[in-house]
Amino acid sequence: MPPTLVLVPTYNESATIVSLLRRVMELPNAVHVLVIDDGSPDGTADLVREVKTTHPHRIFILERAGKQGLGSAYRAGFRFALERDYTCICEMDADLSHDPDDLPRLIEPVATDQTDLAIGSRYIGGVRVIDWPLPRLVLSYGAGMYTRAITRMPIKDVTAGFKCFHRRVPAYLDFNRVRSNGYAFQVEMHFRTWRAGFRIQEVPVIFTERSEGQSKMSKAIVREAAWKVWELRLRDWIGRL
């Protein structure tokens, strides 16, 4: 496997971060993890540093002052990865809704140059979500239909946050133009990757609702995503994406 880094943004994820890191460290291929912590008051960073003592060359932490948002965290993580010559760069939530055992299935098609972006899809070949209340499922699935209708992206799970990029994708994209800071960041990255002509493949995964901690979803995040798709389509139409 080529050098691989998993980016994990955190804010108050002390209930799950140790389990996540240990499970990733147990995978057969020695992937690395970068935790981007936005000053979690619950001690998340302290726990990461504790696990890091066992895997000092595979676990890294980037500590930031205050909550700066998901998109900001991932942009910092991508820059970290590109500066250190990682070939495969993954995104993953810290709450164990994404199964660490699925990481090799996402990395493999990128590592073998079958695709430039492998998306862990909840909606390819059916709905693959466990323990979501019906309103949350309807919101997510409806958001996908809404986004596809406006952007024309050929992606079933347009808001997916579990994925693997080949480094050529973030190296090509201009992160000064990627301004989304909530879950709209995922939509924007997918759209820019697609419009740049990179190959995209969806890999079926099962998404499990978090059992610990609190969801970061809010009305503001939903509003940002709803408007962002129109902005992206307009910018693309006028040639200023």
Side-chain angles (χ1 to χ4, degrees):
M1 179 182 293
T4 300
L5 182 68
V6 180
L7 307 178
V8 183
T10 56
Y11 184 77
N12 286 348
E13 298 290 359
S14 61
T16 55
I17 190 62
V18 172
S19 178
L20 174 74
L21 291 175
R22 287 176 176 168
R23 289 184 61 186
V24 174
M25 293 299 102
E26 291 170 357
L27 292 175
N29 293 302
V31 300
H32 296 181
V33 178
L34 171 66
V35 176
I36 307 103
D37 186 71
D38 277 3
S40 298
D42 71 344
T44 297
D46 294 332
L47 294 173
V48 174
R49 285 192 294 269
E50 183 179 334
V51 181
K52 177 178 169 58
T53 61
T54 308
H55 305 279
H57 303 298
R58 294 180 58 196
I59 296 177
F60 308 95
I61 182 168
L62 176 59
E63 297 183 63
R64 310 195 304 168
K67 194 174 182 181
Q68 300 179 42
L70 184 73
S72 173
Y74 274 129
R75 287 191 292 271
F78 279 118
R79 292 187 181 103
F80 180 99
L82 292 174
E83 289 169 359
R84 289 157 181 81
D85 297 326
Y86 286 98
T87 300
C88 300
I89 309 168
C90 302
E91 295 184 19
M92 187 177 193
D93 289 350
D95 60 8
L96 293 176
S97 57
H98 300 149
D99 187 347
D101 291 340
D102 285 331
L103 272 172
R105 297 175 53 237
L106 291 179
I107 296 168
E108 192 270 339
V110 176
T112 56
D113 201 29
Q114 299 175 50
T115 190
D116 302 304
L117 167 59
I119 298 173
S121 178
R122 297 164 290 186
Y123 303 124
I124 192 78
V127 177
R128 301 169 181 272
V129 178
I130 297 176
D131 292 337
W132 259 9
L134 183 60
R136 177 76 182 275
L137 180 59
V138 171
L139 174 63
S140 175
Y141 197 80
M145 294 177 63
Y146 167 85
T147 301
R148 289 195 303 275
I150 296 168
T151 63
R152 302 294 191 264
M153 275 192 290
I155 299 172
K156 288 285 188 181
D157 197 347
V158 292
T159 60
F162 190 26
K163 67 196 73 173
C164 180
F165 289 92
H166 192 284
R167 67 174 285 113
R168 65 173 69 98
V169 179
Y172 175 85
L173 299 180
D174 182 359
F175 278 104
N176 291 322
R177 289 180 171 272
V178 182
R179 293 298 185 182
S180 304
N181 214 28
Y183 288 96
F185 175 81
Q186 308 296 5
V187 175
E188 183 167 0
M189 286 295 289
H190 291 159
F191 187 76
R192 290 181 179 278
T193 299
W194 172 58
R195 293 301 292 143
F198 289 107
R199 299 165 296 170
I200 300 175
Q201 176 180 328
E202 289 187 83
V203 177
V205 299
I206 294 176
F207 180 95
T208 305
E209 174 66 341
R210 67 158 65 228
S211 59
E212 304 284 349
Q214 295 183 340
S215 172
K216 308 303 187 298
M217 182 65 71
S218 69
K219 291 181 180 179
I221 288 173
V222 173
R223 285 195 298 269
E224 180 195 22
W227 284 108
K228 177 57 68 172
V229 293
W230 287 104
E231 178 190 335
L232 291 171
R233 184 65 188 274
L234 177 60
R235 285 185 175 277
D236 186 42
W237 182 60
I238 63 177
R240 299 191 63 182
L241 187 61

